[in-house]
Amino acid sequence: NNTSYNNNKKAKPMSTSTIHTTALCAHPSRSYYLSGDDSKGRVVLWRFNSRTSLATFTPVPASELPALTNVGGLLESFSTRMMRPTGTSTRLSCWKHCTGLAFSPNGERFAGIGAGGVVATWRLAPPSSSSSTSGNRPVDADGNISSEWWCQGLSKHGAAVTYVAGGSSAVAVGGQCTRGGNIALWDTLSHPESGAIGRLSHHKAAVTCLYTLPGGWLLAAGDADGALSLTDIRMLGTSGINTSSNTNT
């Protein structure tokens, strides 16, 4: 593995003894794992059997970093700085900290969901065509690697995320939402304004966990009331609501 994760000069490696972990996820085939950091809101990449981080990630895409930098709203110091309200700063405030993480089946991408319902995705390996300040990755002024895509996936609260359909572009997010249901499916190759590609409304309580069965089409979910469901997402109708799900308490 020749992947290099050297952030810019302001990014200092983190230690497993100082991080406050809010989410964990292991790579499907490599000796990597991810964690969410409650204190700074970052996603952190680690190698098994190492106490020092390899990289840190921000949910903000490179194209939107200037909107934060110009008002002093970097991820690392977000909680202590005042910012003019912008679309980017509002979305970052809805990220808060990472509550769920998932790798794509092939391990090339990963996704995270924030406490406020914002979902973001990153590429694990540096794109060969990328132009950046360090390690061929766009980074913010704190040295956190930028995401490739983000959106307000759920309106109230985010708790879980998983890749679906067997690929590395479609994700399901779970939590609480006032629009259409507590599970939403998003295509990360589409513009966020295109909207969710599907919503599932059979869980009335907040969804707390999601898991995709092998093959990518069966989505298991659990909620705060203890209800479980298994949904074949191929059965999504034109309304975006799957009426064929089996839900048990």
Side-chain angles (χ1 to χ4, degrees):
N1 185 345
N2 295 321
T3 299
S4 174
Y5 287 101
N6 295 317
N7 290 2
N8 75 2
K9 60 183 179 181
K10 291 188 178 181
K12 296 180 179 179
M14 300 185 67
S15 169
T16 55
S17 62
T18 59
I19 190 172
H20 183 190
T21 301
T22 57
L24 285 171
C25 177
H27 193 278
S29 59
R30 300 181 186 178
S31 57
Y32 294 149
Y33 69 98
L34 297 164
S35 69
D37 173 22
D38 185 31
S39 63
K40 300 296 184 181
R42 296 170 291 193
V43 174
V44 187
L45 179 69
W46 309 85
R47 189 187 301 275
F48 282 104
N49 298 321
S50 174
R51 299 180 62 86
T52 303
S53 64
L54 293 174
T56 56
F57 301 83
T58 171
V60 184
S63 61
E64 297 188 41
L65 286 176
L68 293 179
T69 304
N70 291 341
V71 295
L74 302 174
L75 176 66
E76 191 162 337
S77 51
F78 175 76
S79 61
T80 60
R81 297 188 183 184
M82 298 297 292
M83 295 189 299
R84 289 185 290 104
T86 65
T88 301
S89 65
T90 298
R91 193 169 296 152
L92 182 57
S93 69
C94 288
W95 170 262
K96 298 179 182 178
H97 60 270
C98 185
T99 53
L101 289 162
F103 277 103
S104 63
N106 62 12
E108 293 181 358
R109 286 186 169 87
F110 61 93
I113 183 80
V118 169
V119 58
T121 63
W122 298 262
R123 183 185 293 271
L124 182 63
S128 58
S129 59
S130 174
S131 175
S132 67
T133 59
S134 175
N136 292 329
R137 304 302 302 269
V139 297
D140 68 11
D142 290 326
N144 304 301
I145 299 172
S146 297
S147 71
E148 291 189 323
W149 180 93
W150 74 338
C151 80
Q152 186 71 49
L154 298 166
S155 62
K156 294 185 66 176
H157 172 68
V161 60
T162 187
Y163 280 85
V164 295
S168 57
S169 63
V171 297
V173 293
Q176 284 182 297
C177 189
T178 58
R179 299 189 298 271
N182 289 335
I183 299 174
L185 279 67
W186 291 87
D187 183 358
T188 65
L189 297 181
S190 299
H191 195 283
E193 293 183 1
S194 300
I197 57 176
R199 294 186 184 274
L200 306 177
S201 62
H202 47 277
H203 283 277
K204 303 305 179 184
V207 171
T208 56
C209 57
L210 294 172
Y211 178 76
T212 306
L213 275 67
W217 295 108
L218 294 178
L219 176 65
D223 66 29
D225 286 345
L228 299 174
S229 68
L230 184 63
T231 303
D232 188 338
I233 62 174
R234 292 170 294 190
M235 301 297 291
L236 283 171
T238 56
S239 65
I241 303 300
N242 188 339
T243 59
S244 65
S245 301
N246 294 317
T247 305
N248 298 294
T249 302

